[in-house]
Amino acid sequence: MAHAPKDNHAPLHLHIPEPKFRPGDVADFSDIIVPEVDANPRPDEHVAPANIHALAYGLVRVLGDDHQPSGSWNPNLDVDTLRVMLRKMLLLRAFDDRMFRAQRQGKTSFYMKSFGEEATSVATTMALHSDDMCFPSYRQQGILITRDYPLVDMMNQIYSNRGDRLKGRQLPIMYSAKEYGFFSISGNLTTQYPQAVGWAMASASRADTRISAVWCGDGSTAEGDFHSALTFAAVYNAPVIFQVVNNQWAISSFSGFAGSERTTFAARAIGYGIAGLRVDGNDALAVYAAMQWAANRARNNGGPTLIEYFTYRGEGHSTSDDPGAYRAAEEYALWPLGDPVTRLKEHLIAIGAWTDAQHESLIIELSVQVKAVQKEAEQNGILGHGLHHPFETMFEDVFEEMPWHLKEQCAQMLEEQKDKFGPEWEAR
Amino acid sequence: MAEPATKKMNMIEAINSALDVMLAKDPEVVIMGEDVGYFGGVFRATAGLQAKHGKTRVFDTPISECGIIGVGVGMAAYGLRPVPEIQFADYIYPGLDQLVSEAARLRYRSANDFTCPMTVRSPFGGGIFGGQTHSQSPESLFTHVCGIKTVIPATPYDAKGLLIAAIEDNDPVVFFEPKRIYNGPFTGYYDRPVEPWSKHAGSDVPEGHYRINLGEAAVVREGEAVTVLTYGTMVHVVKAVVADQGFDAEIIDLRTLLPLDIATIEASVKKTGRCMVVHEATRTSGFGAELAAQVQEPASII
Amino acid sequence: MPKFTFNLPDIGEGIAEAEIVAWHVKVGDMISEDQPLADMMTDKATVEMESPVSGVITKVAGEAGDVIAIGAMLVEIEVAGDVGNQAPAAAEAADADMLAAVVADENPYAPEPVAVAAATPAPAAPVPAQSPAPSAHATEKVMASPAVRQRAKALGVDLTDVKAAGGHIRHADLDAFLNYGASKGYQPAHTKLPRADEAVKVIGMRRRIADNMAASKRHIPHFTYVEEIDVTAIEAMRADLNANRGTKPKVTLLPMLIVAICKTMPQFPMMNARFDDEAGIVTRHGSVHLGMATQTDSGLMVPVIRDAQDRNIWQLAAEITRLAEAARNGSVKSEELSGSTLTITSLGPLGGIATTPVINRPEVAIIGPNKIVERPMFVGDSIEARKLMNLSISCDHRVVDGWDAASYVQALKKLIETPVLLFAD
């Protein structure tokens, strides 16, 4: 029961955040402040975190409205590097498109696109060394694509087929690729945060030169693991780069449910005494520059950095999701920071290193390439149609050596299958 | 080969010795936890180890069990062998997600791409007047999880050999130390003077490296009338009761709960035709239920 | 040529069934890979299913409105094999064969089907699991002698279409069928066929309406209150407004009524609310999002005037016109059909003397103005012609008391009968 009012105070009321726009509304992002390029210039990589608080509230930008780079954050990338960046982002987009369709064609159960956030996995990875360790969340397939992990292996995993390196044990897209510096993706959100810190601490304690980088979304910064990780990283000055891909939406919950109505995600760094940068996540050059700054800082024992990429989830959370049910239509088209692929393309065109015709033909080339790989992957089977790893592998790799009780349970399963499907099964 | 030098040790000293041996033997072993560094642990299990092996091998952590175990998973993924301490098993729960969803599943979900050779040590069990918050026995939460081994020693000798084997194991191990018997075996008679470990055969501990394989139980008393399955502090309570009552029980100290030494259990129950389970954990859905099921399931036993 | 069965996949992690919203193909269509097949609606989303292969549609699962189980056939496609010019590249066709073989393989434990597909020289033996399904007719048992069967077969007559005098079809029955045509059997001359019963499938929007109405009546204990309101003054004011409207849209009584509704709402927050009866929470909304029941060709729709309290009479009039038009011509957006906090339902000149409207769940009230009639009334001692209108309101008695509803309508009545108050703040 509510207490009777005391004194002269108004009764308490509970604030439940609500996004500004819902289906039926026309989104208006005019309240989003987009500062000038170089509004907060690039500090020295060894700067004390206390001296760069403004960077946690600002927005690091390199590309201006005229698609020309400027300012102290400009990474001054050569044209070849820029073209590689664009190609990787377009390949990622082509891959996403193909796999989303594969789900709609019944070839897999689940897929997640990274549409609109391509820069946050491609440009970041390009700014790391190839042997730095990445601890991704579930929307960073761009890391694997940037590091030339075979697309066919990604597809085999998505199809859970007999070529799946993970033997059908993981939800589609939950890759693992140690050889490519890509940690096994967990469905439990932000658990990778303290793990990345542990990896970085191990690297530092072994006088290694490698650093670790970890990604999570805006929504999952609310997990306890996020805060444990930042505490440990600050305590041990671990060479780790924390990245929050703030794409505004955690399935149907807007970023306000992770605290964005009060402060920025980059500003979380301030309380821990580590460096925090807030970056235009759709400006691939700014994303690259921020990651490069943080990587140099970490590699030179400057400690951890928390980077927030301010971006927008252009499509649904996954193939199971329909954003039309909870957010205003056309939000992505109205997003004030544009589309990362388009902005990089316009930049290349503006400097005379690219044309619309080249762009169109690259899109076609990549789509043909991805489709060809898809045919190759489908030779290994698609989800639910026979061509998978043998069922008994379900019991393997729980431990290094299979203990007696799992052997017994496995034998029981095989026995029951024999009873059900007859001697042909046994013969197989 | 000459008999290795042995020394009288209590359980704390045996655990300390195991950690010391492994820190010296394997440069990848690191120890971390709340108060484990300079101070040497609230139960003194890590006393002197930081001074001997250095701060990057033995260090204090923030008070965050989720962080301790999560960082341990990351270190293991790098290639280290972390041996984190959780100060009391009662406080392990914030780290449960990292243990259950991460450490235990890593090898499986990555199909051997990544592994987690981590041993989480933690004092557990009752008997020290600690109230509900320093007395819990959560072992069945871990035996239920695929991918974790659960070990509980009952003597200094076993504690050292099992801990070394756990650290050398390439899978995650939860190593629960019965804190009631850190300094002397408990017979169940709290009104009698505490008997020190030095009077117990299990306190003759080799100073060097030795292993007691995980998954191997010990028959601590042979008998014909009934098989008693037990572990941890209760091993000593059962021994005292059997001695006092004078019945011919065969007492099996399981030592490793998972994987379970079913062969030893099966042989004993076949011989005695009776079986009894004694543990101090919550009875409902406890590990005793699993033991009861295991001895009744195979046609060969009954 | 191999047939490929496209079974409806689980498109939303744990979905059991989905409704066909619209077909993009029909039997006989030549389709290419990635071409849209059908829009399927689950309780999470409506998604467009695409074809994984190229070929000709030989079977579809049903019609719009049908609910298909996950794992059941959605379409069957004859995969292009040796069709010449318009066939896809040979490699792709081979892949399609492989995929068809894989998908046709019902037993997940069966040996690897790639080898099977490669070893089988297709044309002689079409994939056995995919032999054309027998038609529904052929499965019905027909009693007839072998001679009658043979004759019917030669004539191309399906015996299930032939009516028999007894249980057994004889030559005479077949003759009658042939003489009098089609499946009508024997008909005496000059008799008018009775108008046949018509089974209308309740699908799509009609089904939505049916479900919503049933749920409303099932869950909500309705009560309805009707009061007579003198609209002479407000009608005079409306005439004045319209006479001076210039280029503005003509104002009907509806926007004026909406202004009155919004103006009274702060004193009656219990009326502008949504009741989540599972959670046991009534949300009293600060803004009035007014649902406007609108008759369209496909049935009742309720487009929503957002933040009605912030709009003046002219803006309301324009929005009413726009939404009604959009609802009728089908351009209304799905977002414009949800989120109402209170609904108004008016049949205009068909308004009758009283209505008992059904609440648009989870709202808690619905207002129905009835027809305006001119009647002689006492005004003081004299009899005057007055314009009168009954106003009906139905409320959810679980959360709205009769006293509240009556007080609310009386407040509305006062505003409408003294319309100058509408503009007094």
Side-chain angles (χ1 to χ4, degrees), chain A residues 315-362:
Chain A
E315 297 201 359
H317 167 73
S318 72
T319 44
S320 306
D321 180 40
D322 180 1
Y326 52 79
R327 71 184 188 190
E330 307 298 320
E331 274 199 14
Y332 187 58
L334 298 168
W335 185 244
L337 299 173
D339 174 83
V341 175
T342 309
R343 284 176 69 189
L344 185 56
K345 168 196 152 193
E346 293 298 336
H347 167 53
L348 275 159
I349 290 174
I351 60 171
W354 197 242
T355 65
D356 278 316
Q358 278 176 301
H359 195 76
E360 289 315 307
S361 77
L362 179 58

Side-chain angles (χ1 to χ4, degrees), chain B residues 40-254:
Chain B
V42 295
F43 288 100
R44 321 298 305 132
T46 55
L49 297 179
Q50 186 183 70
K52 184 168 172 189
H53 298 281
K55 282 190 194 174
T56 59
R57 306 286 308 281
V58 183
F59 55 88
D60 292 324
T61 62
I63 302 174
S64 167
E65 288 75 13
C66 155
I68 293 168
I69 297 175
V71 159
V73 174
M75 289 178 162
Y78 178 90
L80 303 190
R81 279 184 191 275
V83 188
E85 175 183 302
I86 300 298
Q87 204 161 76
F88 285 90
D90 315 68
Y91 306 148
I92 204 168
Y93 309 119
L96 208 61
D97 187 36
Q98 285 287 350
L99 262 172
V100 173
S101 310
E102 304 295 321
R105 310 251 190 91
L106 194 53
R107 178 191 291 280
Y108 185 75
R109 79 177 194 220
S110 71
N112 277 320
D113 203 17
F114 291 95
T115 59
C116 188
M118 172 170 71
T119 301
V120 179
R121 289 180 45 247
S122 190
F124 94 120
I128 62 154
F129 305 102
Q132 60 85 30
T133 194
H134 280 174
S135 305
Q136 292 164 46
S137 299
E139 63 270 22
S140 68
L141 294 180
F142 298 92
T143 57
H144 183 66
V145 175
C146 247
I148 295 178
K149 296 180 179 178
T150 303
V151 177
I152 298 178
T155 67
Y157 177 84
D158 284 356
K160 180 172 175 183
L162 286 167
L163 183 54
I164 288 174
I167 295 170
E168 289 179 345
D169 196 281
N170 288 327
D171 288 308
V173 179
V174 170
F175 191 88
F176 280 136
E177 299 161 5
K179 57 182 163 313
R180 179 65 183 82
I181 58 172
Y182 267 153
N183 293 303
F186 176 63
T187 55
Y189 298 102
Y190 55 86
D191 49 353
R192 291 185 192 171
V194 175
E195 188 187 340
W197 272 115
S198 53
K199 294 188 177 172
H200 191 282
S203 66
D204 293 322
V205 180
E207 292 190 278
H209 175 277
Y210 68 96
R211 292 168 52 102
I212 294 175
N213 291 335
L214 305 187
E216 288 179 11
V219 178
V220 297
R221 181 190 189 283
E222 292 191 4
E224 300 294 332
V226 59
T227 300
V228 183
L229 304 179
T230 187
Y231 53 88
T233 303
M234 289 302 123
V235 170
H236 304 284
V237 175
V238 169
K239 276 169 74 179
V241 169
V242 166
D244 288 358
Q245 304 294 321
F247 57 88
D248 189 20
E250 179 144 303
I251 304 172
I252 297 179
D253 174 3
L254 299 176

Side-chain angles (χ1 to χ4, degrees), chain A residues 24 98 101 104-105 320 421, chain C residues 6 13 34 49 109 335:
Chain A
R98 206 59 233 161
R101 281 165 168 253
R104 294 296 192 242
Q105 296 176 2
S320 306
F421 298 105
Chain C
F6 184 73
E13 291 179 277
D34 299 341
M49 306 309 300
Y109 312 110
E335 309 93 73

